Amino acid sequence: MTPKSMTSGPASERAAALIGNAGRFRLLPFFAATSLVIFLLVAGALWYFEKEQDVFFKDVQQEQNAFFKQVQDDFSTRQDSAARRDLLSIHEAGNVNLTRLFANALWQQDFAPFVAKAAQIPVEGCRAIADVKDEKDGKLKAPAEKKACFAEIGKKIAAFPEFSALNAKVFDMMKKSTVFKIKVFDLRGITVYSSEAAQMGEDKSMNAGWKGAAVDGKPTSELTFRDKFSAFEGVVEKRDLISSYLPVLAPGSEKVVGVFEVYSDVTPFLNQIKATSADIRKAATDNQEKVEAAAAVNQEKVEASGTRTLAIVMLLLLLLFGALFAIVWRAAAIIARQEKDRDQAQQQLAQSEKMASLGQMVAGVAHQLNTPLAFSSANIEMAMQALDRYAVPLQVAGAFSRLVKGSAADKVMVNIADARSRVAGIEDADLDIKAPQAMLQDTLQGVEQMRELVENLRDFTRLDRSKTSRVDLNKSLHNVIYIAKSVIPTTIEVDEAFGTLPAIECNVSQLNQVFLNLINNAAHAIAEAGTITVRSLLEAGRIRVDVSDTGSGIPDEHLPHIWDTYYTTKPAGEGTGLGLSIARTIITEHGGEISVRTRTGEDSGTTFSVYLPVAA
């Protein structure tokens, strides 16, 4: 089978129009919709990036503000720490000097003998008492028994006769100074003297400050806050104190002979440091507020600038869209005019092909009608001649009938002399009625053939072809085959192999046109004698119709193009190339599909398969 154009049928012009509508690309609505989508996407992207830029700038501003605040806070903290450290260092150095002066004044003469005497009191018994774990913090602490033991040692030391005089000298020297309390420890860590007598006898051997001074020979100081504190001048409240553990060295050597603990009041200095730190923090807070205000102004400027930029870009996009829309509008008008011209050309081609196909069909039908019409006409003439020969016998029979009816007698005398000459020419063959009956019977058969041909032609070209209805597809295929036989050579046999099919909803006139085109194409592919097989069956819920031929097949170079509009292998002027394209459009609009299988060579042939949904 070779690709041909649509050969006949009343649906070709409508199908050609369907191809035009199916292939038309509506440029303007497509451009408008696409451009609108792209415009919205671009606008959304620009808006998103603008917002992201604002957020980024805001985040940068906030990070800078946070960094500036951190720097300010760090500076304030460092300044406060440095001031406290310097205060601690200065007072520690002062306490060291004070200890040296104090030692020079009192140690050799007063404290050295007193410490040596106190060292004679044993403390191992008190230290042997085991510490217990505190239930609150889980640390090991001295029990009440142990504290009482060391307090008893303190009482023994305070009972020394020289204690009162020593205590009076210390109070006299420290009065009106910034020193609030003095303690003296021996090398065992026992508090052998304290300006607060209740603390005498305490064991400080595990204290880190005492160890640093007694073992390492290094001064150790720390800053503490006390709600209440016993000083030389009485009990004081809410004081910032520097406590320093200071080693006492033997004169002329680096040997540690005792440890002083000195408490100095630094509340005024620390208050000044705190006030200075507060001023610095307030200045930092003011600067931070100024930076944040400047950042807010900058953020507003950035947002305003971004909004203006976004508005300008949107305006430019709208102008671009307007210009492109005008161009596309013009192009769409040109394309519409070209499509209209192409549709008119297609309709003219389809109409001319339709007229050619109709002419071919009319010629075939006329040929099919001519044979029964010819012998029917001859039989009628022969019947009329026979009737002419029956005239005399009928006249004689009529006269005899009147004679019999007019006489009541059983016998009548008839004078045959006058009638002898008239009946002398009657032959026996003239009285044979079977021959005219046979001729009229043949005439009736010819009329039946013509009636069948007209009925199939009427079913094929039904007037309501633009409507759909439920039809028996096998019956429609039979009508198509009957009509096709009138236009294809008699050397080509058309076989029917119909399976049981359900009725389907379809435009039967259009489907008839498709199947007639496929059968005619199959006939064109057969050079001389051959067979066309039309097969129908129900397959996988769809109706399948195969039109197979024993022709030469479709060459490989033509096969990819057989569905293309205007593609034909016929000589110029004999085909439009719309046949298979229109057929495919009709089948597609019915929700089906059409495919082809072909072979060339010795076992050549082509099969076109049409698939239609049962609910089509």
Side-chain angles (χ1 to χ4, degrees), residues 20-61:
N21 291 332
R24 180 172 293 117
F25 178 70
R26 305 188 66 184
L27 178 61
L28 193 60
F30 179 81
F31 170 78
T34 305
S35 299
L36 180 61
V37 172
I38 295 176
F39 178 80
L40 292 176
L41 289 176
V42 172
L46 290 175
W47 179 83
Y48 174 77
F49 289 132
E50 177 62 27
K51 292 300 180 185
E52 284 295 308
Q53 181 180 358
D54 292 342
V55 171
F56 173 76
F57 184 78
K58 186 176 181 180
D59 291 342
V60 170
Q61 291 280 77

Side-chain angles (χ1 to χ4, degrees), residues 188-227:
R188 298 178 301 174
I190 302 300
T191 307
V192 297
Y193 174 79
S194 175
S195 57
E196 185 177 352
Q199 294 180 345
M200 292 177 62
E202 291 180 351
D203 185 9
K204 293 292 185 179
S205 60
M206 301 305 295
N207 184 277
W210 178 86
K211 287 182 179 180
V215 179
D216 299 331
K218 296 180 180 179
T220 305
S221 301
E222 66 175 346
L223 180 64
T224 59
F225 176 81
R226 300 292 179 90
D227 290 329

